[in-house]
Amino acid sequence: MEEIRDLVHRHPDKLKMETLKGGNKGYNAEVAVVTYGRGKSDNDERSKFRILLSFGQHGRELITSELALRILSILSEEQHLPNVDHATLNSTLDKLVIKVVPMENLNGRKLVEAGDLCRGVDLNRNWSVDWGKKEKDYDPYEENPGVAPFSEPETQIMRKLAISFDPHIWVNVHSGMEALFMPYDHKNITPHGLPLQRMKSLLEEVNHLHCHKHCMIGSGGGSVGYFAHGTATDFMYDIVRVPMAFTFEIYGDGTASSKDCFKMFNPIDLSSYNRVLNDWSAAFFTIFKVGPQQIGEIHSKALDKLVSIDEYLDGYLMERRNRYGKKMEVLELGMQEIRTYFRLFLLSSVLLMFMFCSRISKGKRPIVSAIPL
């Protein structure tokens, strides 16, 4: 994280960094977000193709945050991809806004660095889609979903960030195996029709170019051998309506003991480390290039998404707070009141529309002004 802060400081024309904070019952968390983009205004951001990447959701998967640093180094042009035309790459990147969360679970990472690799709430079970369901082989040490959906400040922050940013592509980066997953994690099906075709086509290209055709492709629930309930990617696809939502697994050592929580998830020799970072950084730049082509023209998703009132307002407040800082924190205190008034407004609008339509349907006399002429 210190290296990333220094990188951002050296390249203010390309990168900016903000720290989002949250808390729940005395437990506090912060999530750093690095934004790559060449526009300076919010209008520039909204008009471009938007990509949201999360790394380090599980603190013990250290290699994922290393990949985040490598991607940001390439975006800043301090490092370069081999055999890539820089003019073509810059032309692609000009059309994008990329938000990178290098270390989503900072508190978990601190525990790992202190030697505790295998406990805590699993942030990738703390989201609301099918939250809390436990399979027969449920292991509370591996899949602790928390006491309620979004009980953890980290997932609250990420939910608000996703709703306010409204990405076209989401990738949640993990380690433990080598795989390219699309929805769903909590059931053995994939999306149908055009969404499936788009996601599958992109994943097959990544697998062919960078994964040496040995990465598993499919739904998380149908491919990994178990169902995962309350995951980030299922929330992004079902609730936020991200057109292309993925979970990538970038490294795994199948020979490691299940008790060796470091070796299972991270390379322990330099050659493997470099291979992972070289292959997967190139894979992400393929996504930056091909993803917008798969989706086609950028269009507003507002009419396609049905987001709950709570989620909409949470996202709205996050966006306003990011822009104006502490001045907007007072709105948090009135959150319940805002929701209540909004619901009353919607209810009264529906009732008025019903009364108006009923009046018209009777058709006995024309509607005239009640004001005497």
Side-chain angles (χ1 to χ4, degrees), residues 121 130 190 243 277 360:
V121 172
D130 211 44
T190 59
L277 296 189
I360 292 177

Side-chain angles (χ1 to χ4, degrees), residues 328-340:
M328 298 303 299
E329 289 181 1
V330 66
L331 290 181
E332 289 273 20
L333 301 176
M335 195 67 179
Q336 294 299 327
E337 289 80 1
I338 293 173
R339 292 182 177 122
T340 300

Side-chain angles (χ1 to χ4, degrees), residues 126-364:
N126 193 235
W127 299 72
S128 60
V129 174
D130 211 44
W131 175 88
K133 185 175 180 180
K134 297 177 176 63
E135 299 293 327
K136 293 180 180 179
D137 59 350
Y138 168 72
D139 183 349
Y141 292 100
E142 284 293 315
E143 297 184 273
N144 179 0
V147 297
F150 302 108
S151 62
E152 306 309 300
E154 294 91 345
T155 50
Q156 295 171 20
I157 291 169
M158 292 299 298
R159 175 184 61 175
K160 293 177 181 180
L161 173 63
I163 291 172
S164 63
F165 184 51
D166 194 20
H168 297 89
I169 293 178
W170 152 266
V171 186
N172 193 11
V173 184
H174 287 269
S175 60
M177 63 179 68
E178 290 184 285
L180 303 163
F181 291 141
M182 66 183 84
Y184 288 94
D185 295 323
H186 70 280
K187 52 188 175 181
N188 186 16
I189 65 170
T190 59
H192 301 291
L194 186 58
L196 172 61
Q197 294 173 21
R198 287 170 171 169
M199 287 189 282
K200 188 176 181 181
S201 176
L202 179 57
L203 295 184
E204 287 176 344
E205 184 156 358
V206 170
N207 191 28
H208 172 70
L209 293 176
H210 309 290
C211 215
H212 314 294
K213 297 186 179 180
H214 65 252
C215 281
M216 190 183 306
I217 293 179
S219 71
S223 303
V224 77
Y226 60 86
F227 293 150
H229 306 277
T231 67
T233 292
D234 283 0
F235 182 88
M236 295 297 174
Y237 189 75
D238 264 3
I239 306 301
V240 186
R241 301 294 188 189
V242 178
M244 304 178 84
F246 303 116
T247 300
F248 286 2
E249 299 272 354
I250 65 171
Y251 176 83
D253 185 346
T255 67
S257 166
S258 60
K259 296 180 180 180
D260 190 342
C261 284
F262 186 86
K263 188 177 179 183
M264 280 180 65
F265 300 98
N266 303 282
I268 59 173
D269 62 87
L270 187 60
S271 62
S272 297
Y273 172 87
N274 286 329
R275 176 186 60 80
V276 171
L277 296 189
N278 291 338
D279 286 349
W280 285 96
S281 60
F284 273 91
F285 280 83
T286 293
I287 291 170
F288 300 160
K289 177 183 177 182
V290 178
Q293 298 171 2
Q294 290 288 348
I295 292 180
E297 292 186 5
I298 299 175
H299 61 281
S300 171
K301 296 183 287 175
L303 297 178
D304 298 330
K305 0 181 7 175
L306 295 175
V307 178
S308 74
I309 293 170
D310 289 359
E311 288 159 353
Y312 174 81
L313 290 174
D314 280 347
Y316 172 78
L317 289 178
M318 171 61 77
E319 185 172 20
R320 304 298 289 181
R321 190 185 309 108
N322 289 347
R323 191 180 304 174
Y324 298 113
K326 292 185 177 180
K327 292 180 181 179
M328 298 303 299
E329 289 181 1
V330 66
L331 290 181
E332 289 273 20
L333 301 176
M335 195 67 179
Q336 294 299 327
E337 289 80 1
I338 293 173
R339 292 182 177 122
T340 300
Y341 291 141
F342 194 40
R343 291 186 179 102
L344 288 173
F345 169 75
L346 290 177
L347 179 60
S348 61
S349 298
V350 170
L351 289 174
L352 286 172
M353 182 62 69
F354 176 76
M355 293 169 62
F356 181 73
C357 293
S358 298
R359 181 82 177 270
I360 292 177
S361 65
K362 292 179 181 179
K364 293 183 178 180

